[in-house]
Amino acid sequence: MRALRDGALMACAVLAGLLGACGGDAGASCGPTSARVAQVLDGDTVVLEGGERVRYLLADTPERTGAGGDCFGPEAYAFNRGLVEGRRVTLEYGEACEDRFGRLLAYVSVEGREVNTLLVERGHACVLHVPPAGRSRRAEFESLQARARLEGRGIWGACTPVPCLR
């Protein structure tokens, strides 16, 4: 009986190790699940205190830099900064951990409010889906964008052409 119990314990240990190695909890293995935002780079990208750069999933804001910046870029930056800079946020990861630039891809929340959805529903961002990241929530974000566009919120009322649709 003891051999059977020891064998079962060994099997559980091996299985737990394999699940960890294979990304059994992929979201947790991408990066921190909670951190303080050290710097806001633009409307859709932040730097955490640990130095990790985080790109918001499914939200693409106009650029605030470059040749005068894009229409509504400064507003999207200010909105994001007001929500998260210096604050503790929670991060939830999607189907991919990083983008091609090595930034973490996440849904970022502050005080129970998800910044990604706020940006899209208030017209500060367009939906950007780069498969596979964000596949599970793409339709939800496209619905938020359609409503913001219909109601002329943010970029949808202020910009012609809308910068993130170019």
Side-chain angles (χ1 to χ4, degrees):
M1 189 62 134
R2 181 178 172 168
L4 181 59
R5 183 183 56 126
D6 290 345
L9 290 174
M10 178 71 87
C12 285
V14 169
L15 182 58
L18 287 174
L19 285 175
C22 296
D25 186 4
S29 66
C30 288
T33 57
S34 177
R36 187 167 310 282
V37 173
Q39 181 182 9
V40 174
L41 298 179
D42 59 25
D44 54 38
T45 309
V46 297
V47 179
L48 305 178
E49 280 187 342
E52 302 92 345
R53 286 181 184 242
V54 178
R55 174 74 162 74
Y56 297 161
L57 273 169
L58 293 171
D60 184 30
T61 61
E63 299 300 322
R64 72 179 182 104
T65 59
D70 287 335
C71 175
F72 224 74
E75 292 86 349
Y77 165 74
F79 181 75
N80 187 30
R81 187 174 180 202
L83 286 172
V84 302
E85 191 168 66
R87 309 213 27 219
R88 180 157 289 282
V89 297
T90 58
L91 298 99
E92 183 181 325
Y93 301 94
E95 296 84 353
C97 291
E98 294 183 349
D99 66 7
R100 62 188 175 119
F101 303 107
R103 299 175 294 192
L104 293 172
L105 297 171
Y107 299 103
V108 176
S109 296
V110 60
E111 295 183 358
R113 297 180 303 168
E114 187 180 85
V115 180
N116 310 49
T117 54
L118 289 172
L119 286 165
V120 174
E121 75 184 3
R122 296 199 182 171
H124 292 284
C126 296
V127 174
L128 175 64
H129 176 242
V130 180
R135 176 179 48 236
S136 63
R137 296 187 59 195
R138 181 179 181 185
E140 171 193 350
F141 275 76
E142 287 175 343
S143 177
L144 292 171
Q145 176 178 282
R147 184 160 187 175
R149 188 175 193 168
L150 181 67
E151 294 176 4
R153 291 188 211 143
I155 56 177
W156 303 108
C159 307
T160 304
V162 172
C164 46
L165 293 182
R166 286 187 268 164

